[in-house]
Amino acid sequence: MFASVGQLGPLQNIPQPTDTKKKLQLPTPLQFPTCAPVVTGDTPISSYGEGSLVSLLQKIQRPADIQQSHFEALGVHVISASPPRDILPDASYLPPFAEWTAVGQDELEAATTASKRPLSNGNLSPGIQTYQERRKELLIDNRAAFRTVRRIPAPPGESLARLGNAYEFFKNLELFSGYWQDTSLPPSSEEDEPKHEENLAEKETAPRHLQTHVRLGNGAQLPPEYRQQLLTAFTKLVAYDFGCNVSFARCEPRLILTPPSALKPSSYFNSSASFIYRTPTDRASARSGIVEGPVAAISCRTTTTFTSPLDSNVDFSRELIALLLTAQQRARSTTTETRFGEGKWWTSVPRWGGGPGGPIGREVDILPPPSSLSQSTISASSSGPSSATAGEEEPRGRSPRPGPAPAKRSKRPGKDGNLQIYENYRKMLPPSSTWDRKTRYSAIGKKEGATWDDVFLVSALNHHVCVMRARVPRELLGVFGGGDGTWDGVKVWRSRWFDLFLPEERVEGMELIWGMMAWLMRSTEGEMDTS
């Protein structure tokens, strides 16, 4: 149900001249999910007995099984279109961007030094100068940026735009413009192409390789990796300056559910989310690929139509699972891994009652019977030493028999199959670990002494992005681990959707991510929760 996104694919080439606009479909209309569960009352939610929360969630086998009752059992309460000051637990970590923008060049250096704060990795946060650079880069007009990406000469009297750190972002945004209509352009006849094909053919237009916007399809045909690349590049504009990076998890992200009864097996929901990790400050750990966190999660979905409540429920459940599994991974800093089946009889007791067993599967047809095998071994051992002449040694590197040397054994399994799978079957081992050995799990940015964890998610849909924050109680994570208890529900704040095609809106989205990173990466030494 929550399949992971494939690996990043190669960039698509410029379309051939044979492509015509007659083959293009109509642009995909913008639609957004409307699922926003609301909880009334302050009664704590409990999970006891056979009707426990885990047992209810384990009944979900396919997307059609998701209902509002599952969100009610979790106690999810969503506040949509929240302002940036409500997204952050402490609004003081949202910088005064209006004042930062008004700082001039004469006082920029002193103001930048005063605006930096200590971070949890021992460094200082980026200041006013870095913010002004990011803002200037994101405010570049899309057509000017696409000319630089596509290496199109600038119009007479103009120079090519210098994209700086935002080059990767505009390179992926240019790919988006081939499937989604660029909303930063003035209203044009692009939507009325089927009605005015004859008139457009008569108009003088530039060759396709000199156009900044070339339609390749509609939004529903956009390759999934394009959205992942765009959101990753957009988040990195801020995350790098805070000592973090964006990457996929080396182990499949899973929300593990353990029922309270030991007789029932555990299960999990997988997710396609990627994560923001903190990079270690020591060079040896950084070069070996060790990461710390996760700091926050990133989720991209490919759904473009939300015609039924089920579509909205499925999309929100994917966001919610990404938030909950991030909280579950951040809580691993105070626990140790318990592998599924560790210490159970079916991972420790030898098979066949402790006997040696016999050939299984194709081994029956390949291996000789035990009687003939032992007889041949005895005859070979009795005749082997006596056949060699004393003091003689066979020449090295040459075949003792005349004729061509025997052919080398192929490493590929033949038609008889690979017999290693039978050896693995005989070994009594639990399943592979779900913890990444090169990840130092830590709840970075969590308040000291708090009974909840504020988890952030950068969500992408269509060509828009939003930021979500979920307050996940510690008791709920204990219920997912097989315990019983009560919790106050899961409160979720969602910002409005920011259009990445519009320069002003993507600057607002960057500012919100800046505040999110400033809160999560702050230095928590001597900080205690007083709420």
Side-chain angles (χ1 to χ4, degrees):
M1 176 169 62
F2 306 102
S4 56
V5 179
Q7 298 296 326
L8 303 182
L11 300 181
Q12 189 163 349
N13 297 327
I14 298 176
Q16 299 296 328
T18 55
D19 295 338
T20 59
K21 293 185 177 180
K22 294 182 180 179
K23 300 179 181 179
L24 301 179
Q25 299 181 6
L26 292 176
T28 302
L30 283 177
Q31 296 183 11
F32 294 95
T34 57
C35 180
V38 177
V39 176
T40 58
D42 299 332
T43 304
I45 303 172
S46 61
S47 177
Y48 293 100
E50 294 296 331
S52 64
L53 174 65
V54 174
S55 301
L56 177 63
L57 296 179
Q58 286 183 332
K59 296 179 181 179
I60 300 177
Q61 302 295 330
R62 54 181 182 174
D65 298 337
I66 300 177
Q67 301 176 1
Q68 287 288 337
S69 59
H70 297 101
F71 304 136
E72 295 175 359
L74 286 167
V76 178
H77 180 81
V78 179
I79 304 176
S80 303
S82 300
R85 299 184 66 87
D86 293 344
I87 297 294
L88 301 183
D90 189 353
S92 63
Y93 284 87
L94 191 67
F97 295 111
E99 299 178 4
W100 283 16
T101 306
V103 175
Q105 292 295 328
D106 298 336
E107 51 188 11
L108 181 60
E109 183 176 356
T112 300
T113 305
S115 61
K116 294 183 177 180
R117 291 186 176 185
L119 300 178
S120 57
N121 57 4
N123 300 329
L124 295 178
S125 66
I128 298 178
Q129 183 176 2
T130 304
Y131 165 75
Q132 289 187 356
E133 292 175 357
R134 300 296 174 269
R135 185 177 186 274
K136 181 180 179 181
E137 293 164 354
L138 291 177
L139 286 177
I140 297 176
D141 183 70
N142 292 345
R143 287 171 293 187
F146 294 169
R147 291 192 194 100
T148 302
V149 171
R150 297 173 65 89
R151 299 182 179 180
I152 300 175
E158 299 182 9
S159 59
L160 288 176
R162 296 184 178 182
L163 306 182
N165 296 277
Y167 179 84
E168 192 72 18
F169 167 75
F170 281 109
K171 182 179 71 175
N172 293 283
L173 189 65
E174 189 270 335
L175 295 175
F176 253 67
S177 65
Y179 298 89
W180 288 96
Q181 185 178 3
D182 190 347
T183 52
S184 66
L185 300 178
S188 61
S189 59
E190 186 177 0
E191 298 180 356
D192 301 328
E193 285 176 357
K195 302 179 182 179
H196 303 282
E197 288 180 0
E198 299 180 358
N199 297 337
L200 292 177
E202 297 177 358
K203 293 184 179 181
E204 296 181 0
T205 57
R208 301 197 70 176
H209 67 281
L210 295 179
Q211 298 179 13
T212 57
H213 293 74
V214 179
R215 282 282 307 279
L216 302 176
N218 58 10
Q221 299 171 340
L222 177 76
E225 60 269 19
Y226 286 6
R227 184 174 289 104
Q228 181 69 39
Q229 293 172 354
L230 179 66
L231 184 58
T232 299
F234 183 70
T235 309
K236 283 183 178 180
L237 287 174
V238 179
Y240 268 154
D241 297 312
F242 284 90
C244 299
N245 198 0
V246 181
S247 63
F248 285 98
R250 283 180 282 253
C251 296
E252 183 184 33
R254 297 176 177 179
L255 176 62
I256 302 176
L257 304 176
T258 303
S261 175
L263 302 178
K264 297 182 179 179
S266 301
S267 62
Y268 63 88
F269 290 117
N270 63 331
S271 175
S272 61
S274 56
F275 299 95
I276 303 176
Y277 291 105
R278 186 175 64 184
T279 305
T281 54
D282 58 301
R283 182 174 300 180
S285 299
R287 295 186 62 179
S288 61
I290 295 177
V291 294
E292 301 171 349
V295 180
I298 292 179
S299 175
C300 302
R301 279 97 56 214
T302 60
T303 309
T304 57
T305 58
F306 301 94
T307 56
S308 65
L310 178 61
D311 298 333
S312 299
N313 292 344
V314 171
D315 185 81
F316 177 70
S317 64
R318 289 171 176 167
E319 293 176 319
L320 184 61
I321 286 177
L323 288 166
L324 294 177
L325 70 87
T326 303
Q328 199 174 62
Q329 291 189 9
R330 287 165 60 89
R332 291 177 178 177
S333 58
T334 58
T335 59
T336 57
E337 180 185 13
T338 302
R339 298 172 64 179
F340 179 72
E342 186 175 3
K344 302 294 183 179
W345 66 268
W346 46 272
T347 60
S348 57
V349 179
R351 302 184 190 275
W352 306 297
I360 55 178
R362 294 186 178 179
E363 290 180 340
V364 179
D365 302 329
I366 298 174
L367 299 179
S371 58
S372 61
L373 182 62
S374 59
Q375 185 68 26
S376 61
T377 305
I378 296 173
S379 61
S381 61
S382 60
S383 61
S386 61
S387 61
T389 306
E392 292 185 359
E393 294 183 0
E394 296 183 356
R396 297 181 179 179
R398 296 178 57 186
S399 176
R401 299 181 180 179
K408 294 182 178 180
R409 186 176 181 180
S410 176
K411 295 183 179 180
R412 295 184 177 180
K415 60 182 180 180
D416 296 331
N418 189 1
L419 301 182
Q420 185 62 31
I421 59 176
Y422 302 115
E423 296 297 331
N424 297 336
Y425 172 75
R426 291 186 175 94
K427 296 178 181 179
M428 308 304 299
L429 298 175
S432 59
S433 173
T434 58
W435 289 33
D436 186 7
R437 293 179 297 177
K438 290 190 175 183
T439 299
R440 297 171 181 170
Y441 294 103
S442 175
I444 299 175
K446 180 182 177 181
K447 285 187 176 181
E448 295 290 340
T451 59
W452 64 80
D453 189 10
D454 288 313
V455 184
F456 287 83
L457 172 71
V458 183
S459 177
L461 201 65
N462 300 329
H463 49 86
H464 297 69
V465 63
C466 77
V467 177
M468 302 175 62
R469 174 170 70 98
R471 177 160 291 183
V472 182
R474 182 176 55 191
E475 293 79 8
L476 177 60
L477 299 179
V479 171
F480 288 158
D484 290 327
T486 60
W487 65 95
D488 295 331
V490 181
K491 196 173 183 179
V492 180
W493 292 264
R494 182 198 293 274
S495 69
R496 71 182 186 90
W497 293 97
F498 302 100
D499 191 348
L500 295 180
F501 275 125
L502 300 179
E504 294 294 340
E505 291 197 10
R506 61 180 173 239
V507 168
E508 294 179 13
M510 181 270 294
E511 293 175 350
L512 183 53
I513 296 178
W514 185 295
M516 178 192 74
M517 295 301 302
W519 160 260
L520 290 171
M521 288 296 297
R522 74 193 187 282
S523 178
T524 57
E525 293 183 1
E527 181 184 73
M528 292 295 293
D529 179 43
T530 58
S531 59

